[in-house]
Amino acid sequence: MTGRIVETEAYPPGDRSGHSYRGRTARNGSLFLDKGFAYVYFIYGTSYMLNVTSEEPGVGAGVLLRAIEPLEGINRMKRHRNTEKLRDLARGPGRLAAALQINQRLDGVDLCASGPLWLGTAVRETAHIGATVRIGITREVDRPLRFFEVSNPFVSGPRIEIRIP
DNA sequence: AAGAAGATTCGCT
DNA sequence: GCGAATCTTCTTA
């Protein structure tokens, strides 16, 4: 299965809404790995979230993958998500993880090496990227750290860019 | 030890 | 649009 990442959110070092803010714990350990590793956690009793670490070892920061445009293996994704709606397959972080069968077994995996899950280089030309505040958080709510491909229908949430003063 | 919150989703109205 | 589902983690609200 493959997909194009169309929506992300950054949780940089020191951000009070980031899981690393209160230091390293059993759950967030992989967030402190080197850049390019997977940090997977379970939330709300229903959903897995997939993050890519983004800083030097020991820092603790990452990027949440919020949506992908399904490209290959669509029938498998439909089965994993138990729906026929292409647009809903991976629109939202929990749906993305479900479609790709992301779970705790992938926590800590190197996404820049060959393995069960990896990041590749985009084939299509980069389109216009918009930014807004992040979705679903309660702290640091004003930071414009959500990024998305403006014209892409597989993006979850608003596709209108905010103005940065 | 207990309780609340949480980077969400789904189904019903 | 709203509320329930569901469970792990961290705080003491």
Side-chain angles (χ1 to χ4, degrees):
Chain A
M1 294 180 283
T2 60
R4 171 184 172 83
I5 298 169
V6 296
E7 181 185 0
T8 64
E9 280 178 358
Y11 291 87
D15 189 284
R16 292 200 308 283
S17 63
H19 285 187
S20 64
Y21 183 64
R22 289 164 208 277
R24 190 177 198 144
T25 65
R27 173 214 220 182
N28 67 18
S30 53
L31 201 49
F32 292 82
L33 295 171
D34 202 352
K35 301 174 236 205
F37 283 75
Y39 165 50
V40 179
Y41 67 91
F42 190 59
I43 194 170
Y44 294 128
T46 57
S47 310
Y48 287 98
M49 303 282 125
L50 172 63
N51 297 252
V52 181
T53 57
S54 57
E55 297 294 332
E56 301 296 321
V59 175
V63 173
L64 171 70
L65 270 40
R66 287 194 57 90
I68 64 170
E69 175 181 343
L71 295 179
E72 187 183 272
I74 289 173
N75 285 334
R76 283 181 66 194
M77 296 186 200
K78 286 180 177 175
R79 211 178 321 133
H80 300 150
R81 287 270 300 117
N82 197 28
T83 180
E84 285 296 314
K85 296 181 183 173
L86 176 64
R87 182 162 180 256
D88 287 348
L89 282 187
R91 185 169 53 90
R95 292 166 169 173
L96 183 157
L100 298 179
Q101 287 195 301
I102 307 291
N103 57 41
Q104 223 131 38
R105 112 196 106 93
L106 295 174
D107 187 40
V109 161
D110 185 353
L111 299 175
C112 301
S114 61
L117 183 66
W118 71 91
L119 292 169
T121 306
V123 175
R124 200 189 309 161
E125 190 175 333
T126 301
H128 181 210
I129 303 297
T132 70
V133 296
R134 293 169 290 183
I135 296 174
I137 57 172
T138 60
R139 287 181 279 241
E140 305 263 13
V141 295
D142 293 330
R143 303 185 71 181
L145 294 176
R146 168 175 173 261
F147 304 99
F148 56 98
E149 189 173 37
V150 171
S151 61
N152 196 298
F154 294 92
V155 168
S156 77
R159 299 209 310 257
I160 301 185
E161 209 168 343
I162 61 173
R163 190 194 310 215
I164 302 169

